[in-house]
Amino acid sequence: FLRDIFYYKINAGGKIMTVRQITLIIFIVGWIWMLCKKIYGYFAFNKFINSAPHYNKAGALQICEDVFYTIFPQDRKFDIKIVQSNILSSPAIFLSPNPIIILPDILFTEEELKFVFYHELIHLKHRDFIIKVATDFLIAAYWWNPVIRIYLFDIINHVQELNVDYEASKGLTKNEKLVYLNVISKTADYIC
């Protein structure tokens, strides 16, 4: 029955096409459209975030560099930019092609900033950005599936956050864990 439907011939503007061919064309056009939207979104965000003002808290860049060298080897070049923008409601890291840490208008102490940078740099270490880009390509390919289109990116994002929180907190002392939890709490309060 399905085979008969897929191979049913339709006259489309003087050209005879099967339902299968029309379905394939719709799928490819939708995939290309979603892919173009995603790529345009990345370039637009890249342009915006590169023009965002630098984070101006004294010593923040040095704190970030100190944390960077606790995660990465000493021979790796520190080339991270820190910007302040409320385009996102929580701290994030973006690759453009060098990493950019985005901080919203949340007042973090120096000790809290250390954990914010640690969290974001673990994302860099895990190459989570590549997984998010791959997820966007997968979502574009499955544009017709509302479950994947609506929920997959959020699910991947939550798994990455839990993984980073686990790694960030496993070597901390009790007092450091309290500071880390305070950072998460401040961020959650800002989101709400």
Side-chain angles (χ1 to χ4, degrees):
F1 173 72
L2 287 174
R3 185 175 51 97
D4 290 341
I5 290 174
F6 275 120
Y7 288 101
Y8 180 77
K9 294 182 181 177
I10 299 172
N11 185 351
K15 185 173 180 176
I16 304 296
M17 298 178 77
T18 64
V19 171
R20 178 178 174 229
Q21 290 169 321
I22 293 170
T23 304
L24 189 60
I25 289 169
I26 291 170
F27 170 78
I28 291 171
V29 168
W31 182 49
I32 291 170
W33 171 255
M34 288 295 289
L35 207 52
C36 289
K37 268 180 66 174
K38 295 286 184 183
I39 291 169
Y40 175 78
Y42 277 112
F43 281 111
F45 188 77
N46 182 39
K47 183 178 179 184
F48 172 80
I49 214 63
N50 274 305
S51 66
H54 287 270
Y55 186 69
N56 58 7
K57 185 169 183 174
L61 197 60
Q62 185 60 50
I63 294 168
C64 187
E65 186 175 359
D66 292 344
V67 171
F68 180 86
Y69 286 117
T70 63
I71 297 171
F72 297 101
Q74 293 291 323
D75 60 339
R76 183 166 175 177
K77 184 181 176 204
F78 175 78
D79 56 357
I80 294 176
K81 179 179 171 185
I82 305 169
V83 299
Q84 187 163 20
S85 174
N86 282 330
I87 194 165
L88 301 173
S89 54
S90 66
I93 192 162
F94 182 75
L95 298 182
S96 164
N98 295 329
I100 299 173
I101 294 178
I102 306 156
L103 297 175
D105 290 330
I106 302 174
L107 296 173
F108 290 116
T109 65
E110 286 188 9
E111 189 174 12
E112 290 170 340
L113 266 179
K114 178 178 104 175
F115 290 109
V116 168
F117 295 142
Y118 191 72
H119 178 98
E120 297 309 325
L121 291 171
I122 290 175
H123 279 299
L124 181 65
K125 177 185 172 188
H126 289 172
R127 296 181 177 94
D128 286 345
F129 188 78
I130 293 169
I131 294 169
K132 287 183 180 180
V133 170
T135 303
D136 274 337
F137 280 103
L138 185 65
I139 290 169
Y142 286 90
W143 63 268
W144 48 269
N145 186 331
V147 174
I148 290 176
R149 191 178 68 243
I150 295 169
Y151 298 112
L152 183 63
F153 194 84
D154 287 340
I155 291 169
I156 297 289
N157 191 44
H158 287 307
V159 168
Q160 287 177 333
E161 290 301 323
L162 289 171
N163 186 33
V164 167
D165 286 337
Y166 171 74
E167 184 170 331
S169 65
K170 68 181 176 183
L172 301 179
T173 65
K174 184 177 180 180
N175 288 336
E176 290 172 329
K177 285 181 183 178
L178 289 173
V179 174
Y180 188 69
L181 287 172
N182 191 43
V183 168
I184 294 171
S185 175
K186 271 187 180 181
T187 304
D189 286 344
Y190 187 79
I191 291 171
C192 296

